[in-house]
């Protein structure tokens, strides 16, 4: 009984059920290896037959066209000769020295007299019909009549009769093509034998290849079932080779690695989010406990308490929103479209001017249009501008938005420049990390997620973030869209 088959008791007197064919034989006929081998042989047979048929037809056509062109060339040379010179049947006699007609291989020549009788017979002799006798008595030289498929003994010829003019006779040129057809028939038989051998060899090779491929697929299947059963993503897939199955195994292994990394990132995000949420929640809980004694507090203290609650609620809301955006993959359901980053920069600059009252300058050059998600790009650029204004709170110099493209084919570069205190070299390589905040920035409001979102947006658009110290003081932070990282990148981090 095959594994998994139900153990059904048999009733007495029904022995027929005990002798039914075992169900285990069926899968062998429907197995992937057998199906692959049969399909491989069928496809190979079809392709071989098609290629053999086309090759034979092409070869046959070339041979026939070549023979026809040789015959036509001989006839044209003969017509040109009799038109330029006054020729007689004697000039073309095979017994006369220096006769004027070159006889190619498989070509027969017969000369007719003025009355159409045979003056110099060919070898073999060619039949003469009324049309040939008429050409022999023609007044104009070079007139021709062509006969196709003339039987001469056991062979078949094509015959052309050319007049000498002045009623002096004619010359018959014949080309044998029955031996060419015999050659083509032999080629056809050999082609069929070769195609049959190729089909048989393909079937055997397909069977061997199917066993080889399916053996590794079985390994892949076992690995996938193991992952599904144990839910352990750190399984090493034991598949080697450089063909499609090997690539599938490596891709499956990389997929498991990325899933494991994604799971680790989610776990770390939850841990980091819990750590960051703990501080504002503790402050909120403390201030809320003071609300129970608000009647006992002086008016000034009451106002400070309400202001603190409002600020903490706002920061908590901003932190939660940024966490949601980061966890949701930066609104990756937004459909991509053609976006002009110069227009995005103008919109962001206008909004920042109204919110902060600071002077925001926009400088755009080149073709700044790219394919992307407008909402994500707007959020990334807004984060950069807000970051520059926050760290240059009392500055008098304008914040500059620079958009340039393309620095390299398909790449647009967006960066924000400020004249703030700048970023320490040790912090440049980490400013794009989640929740990272430089030591001199921890007293300022913020969650440490703004530049991390910039990094995610840049990577989602085929680019990379960068940050470096600005000459003369300040910082330049930006990202590329549609290409690789620019020079002087600040690593995998930012401010």
């Amino acid at each position: 009984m095959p594994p998994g088959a139900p153990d059904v008791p048999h009733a007495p007197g029904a022995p027929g059920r005990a002798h039914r064919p075992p169900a285990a034989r069926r899968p062998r006929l429907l197995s992937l290896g057998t199906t692959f081998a049969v399909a491989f042989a069928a496809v190979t047979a079809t392709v071989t037959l098609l290629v053999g048929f086309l090759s034979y037809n092409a070869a046959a056509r070339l041979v026939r066209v070549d023979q026809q062109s040789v015959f036509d060339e001989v006839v044209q040379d003969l017509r040109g000769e009799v038109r330029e010179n006054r020729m007689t049947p004697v000039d073309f006699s095979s017994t006369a020295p220096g006769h004027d007609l070159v006889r190619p291989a498989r070509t027969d020549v017969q000369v007719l007299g003025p009355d159409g009788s045979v003056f110099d017979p060919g070898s073999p002799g060619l039949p003469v019909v009324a049309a040939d006798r008429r050409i022999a008595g023609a007044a104009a030289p070079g007139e021709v009549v062509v006969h196709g498929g003339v039987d001469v003994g056991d062979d078949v010829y094509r015959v052309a009769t050319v007049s000498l003019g002045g009623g002096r006779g004619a010359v018959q040129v014949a080309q044998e093509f029955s031996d060419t057809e015999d050659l083509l028939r032999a080629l056809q038989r050999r082609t069929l034998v070769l195609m049959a051998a190729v089909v048989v060899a393909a079937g055997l090779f397909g069977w061997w290849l199917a066993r080889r491929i399916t053996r590794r697929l079985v390994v892949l299947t076992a690995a996938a079932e193991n992952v599904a059963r144990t839910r352990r993503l750190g399984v090493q897939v034991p598949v080697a080779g450089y063909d499609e199955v090997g690539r599938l195994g490596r891709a499956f292994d990389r997929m498991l690695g990325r899933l494991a990394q994604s799971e680790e990132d989610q776990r770390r995000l939850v841990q980091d989010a819990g750590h960051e949420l703990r501080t504002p929640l503790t402050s909120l809980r403390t201030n809320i406990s003071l609300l129970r004694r608000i009647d006992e507090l002086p008016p000034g203290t009451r106002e400070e308490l309400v202001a603190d609650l409002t600020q903490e609620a706002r920061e908590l809301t901003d932190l939660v929103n940024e966490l949601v955006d980061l966890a949701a993959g930066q609104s990756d359901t937004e459909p991509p479209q053609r976006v002009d980053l110069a227009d995005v920069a103008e919109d962001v600059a206008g909004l920042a001017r109204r919110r902060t009252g600071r002077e925001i300058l926009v400088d755009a050059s080149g073709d700044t249009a790219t394919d992307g998600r407008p909402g994500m790009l707007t959020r990334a650029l807004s984060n950069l501008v807000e970051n520059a204004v926050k760290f240059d709170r009392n500055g008098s110099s304008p914040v500059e938005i620079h958009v340039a493209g393309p620095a390299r084919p398909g790449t647009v570069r967006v960066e924000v420049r400020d004249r703030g205190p700048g970023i320490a070299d040790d912090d440049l390589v980490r400013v794009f990390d989640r929740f990272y905040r430089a030591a001199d920035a921890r007293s300022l409001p913020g969650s440490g997620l703004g530049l991390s979102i910039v990094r995610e947006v840049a990577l989602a658009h085929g680019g990379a973030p960068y940050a470096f110290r600005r000459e003369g003081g300040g910082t330049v932070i930006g990202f590329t869209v549609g290409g690789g990282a620019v020079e002087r990148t600040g690593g995998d981090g930012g401010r």
Side-chain angles (χ1 to χ4, degrees):
M1 180 177 295
D7 188 9
V8 181
H10 301 296
R17 292 187 179 183
H19 300 284
R20 60 183 178 181
R25 296 180 181 178
R26 294 182 182 176
R28 296 186 61 185
L29 299 177
L30 301 176
S31 66
L32 180 60
T34 303
T35 302
F36 184 84
V38 172
F40 188 86
V43 171
T44 304
T46 302
V47 173
T48 302
L49 291 174
L50 181 61
V51 171
F53 175 76
L54 294 178
S55 299
Y56 170 77
N57 280 352
R61 184 168 58 253
L62 287 175
V63 170
R64 291 182 179 118
V65 169
D66 181 67
Q67 293 296 316
Q68 182 67 49
S69 63
V70 170
F71 181 74
D72 293 341
E73 184 177 355
V74 171
V75 173
Q76 292 302 322
D77 289 344
L78 176 59
R79 295 181 68 190
E81 183 70 18
V82 299
R83 285 174 177 172
E84 293 176 3
N85 305 297
R86 181 181 176 84
M87 312 293 288
T88 64
V90 177
D91 295 325
F92 294 97
S93 173
S94 60
T95 60
H99 59 83
D100 289 86
L101 186 63
V102 177
R103 293 167 168 81
R106 298 192 304 277
T107 301
D108 189 15
V109 177
Q110 181 170 278
V111 183
L112 303 181
D115 58 352
S117 60
V118 177
F119 179 81
D120 184 14
S123 180
L126 303 176
V128 180
V129 297
D132 300 321
R133 288 189 286 271
R134 179 181 59 81
I135 290 296
E143 291 189 21
V144 63
V145 61
V146 179
H147 309 287
V150 177
D151 294 327
V152 180
D154 295 332
D155 299 320
V156 181
Y157 287 76
R158 61 170 62 91
V159 181
T161 305
V162 181
S163 67
L164 299 177
R168 292 186 297 275
V171 178
Q172 287 183 304
V173 180
Q175 182 187 57
E176 181 185 357
F177 60 80
S178 59
D179 58 343
T180 301
E181 295 301 321
D182 293 340
L183 175 64
L184 292 178
R185 280 192 290 272
L187 176 63
Q188 185 182 50
R189 288 192 296 271
R190 292 184 180 181
T191 302
L192 291 175
V193 172
L194 179 61
M195 287 191 297
V198 169
V199 171
V200 173
L204 296 176
F205 178 75
W207 175 80
W208 173 82
L209 186 63
R211 286 177 56 87
R212 181 180 179 85
I213 292 176
T214 53
R215 182 170 61 247
R216 290 182 290 164
L217 288 176
V218 169
V219 175
L220 274 177
T221 303
E225 291 174 345
N226 184 35
V227 171
R229 183 177 63 257
T230 64
R231 304 187 67 178
R232 293 172 49 205
L233 299 177
V235 175
Q236 184 71 27
V237 180
V239 175
Y242 297 94
D243 57 2
E244 285 75 6
V245 178
R247 289 166 54 194
L248 175 63
R250 287 188 291 275
F252 186 68
D253 191 49
R254 288 194 299 268
M255 179 189 69
L256 290 179
R258 292 187 179 181
L259 287 174
Q261 182 62 43
S262 177
E263 186 178 51
E264 174 62 22
D265 290 342
Q266 290 180 4
R267 185 188 62 79
R268 185 165 55 88
L269 177 62
V270 171
Q271 291 178 348
D272 292 342
H275 178 270
E276 294 297 322
L277 287 171
R278 193 172 293 117
T279 298
L281 287 175
T282 300
S283 180
L284 265 177
R285 189 163 50 247
T286 301
N287 288 330
I288 289 173
S289 65
L290 290 176
L291 287 177
R292 297 175 180 176
R293 299 187 297 111
I294 193 170
D295 294 336
E296 304 173 7
L297 300 177
T301 304
R302 296 179 188 177
E303 293 179 2
E304 291 179 2
L305 178 60
V306 173
D308 287 345
L309 285 171
T310 303
Q311 179 64 26
E312 289 163 359
R314 183 182 300 111
E315 290 184 6
L316 187 60
T317 300
D318 292 340
L319 177 59
V320 170
N321 288 336
E322 289 178 341
L323 284 172
V324 170
D325 286 342
L326 198 59
Q330 288 295 309
S331 303
D332 55 3
T333 57
E334 182 183 14
Q337 57 184 282
R338 198 68 178 170
V339 182
D340 192 337
L341 289 176
D343 294 341
V344 173
E346 291 289 353
D347 295 339
V348 171
L351 181 61
R353 292 189 195 102
R354 292 190 296 271
R355 286 180 175 177
T356 64
R358 290 289 298 275
E359 183 179 5
I360 312 292
L361 302 180
V362 178
D363 174 33
S365 61
D367 183 9
T368 58
T370 186
D371 293 327
R373 294 182 170 91
M376 294 176 66
L377 294 170
T378 301
R379 179 62 185 275
L381 187 52
S382 297
N383 287 357
L384 292 181
V385 173
E386 291 173 3
N387 189 76
V389 172
K390 179 175 63 175
F391 284 91
D392 190 18
R393 184 180 301 273
N394 300 319
S396 58
S397 299
V399 174
E400 302 173 14
I401 303 176
H402 180 68
V403 185
R408 54 176 62 91
T411 303
V412 181
R413 177 174 176 166
V414 183
E415 62 188 26
V416 175
R417 307 166 179 173
D418 62 55
R419 288 295 182 185
I423 305 177
D425 292 336
D426 293 340
D427 294 326
L428 278 175
V429 296
R430 297 193 59 192
V431 290
F432 291 103
D433 291 348
R434 293 176 182 176
F435 301 108
Y436 180 77
R437 304 182 71 188
D440 56 356
R442 290 171 185 168
S443 60
L444 297 175
S447 63
L449 287 175
L451 294 185
S452 178
I453 293 175
V454 172
R455 176 181 180 273
E456 297 296 331
V457 171
L459 295 178
H461 287 79
Y466 60 92
F468 55 88
R469 297 172 65 89
R470 187 178 183 185
E471 186 177 354
T475 307
V476 177
I477 305 181
F479 60 92
T480 58
V481 175
V486 298
E487 297 179 358
R488 299 182 64 185
T489 59
D492 195 20
R495 188 171 179 170

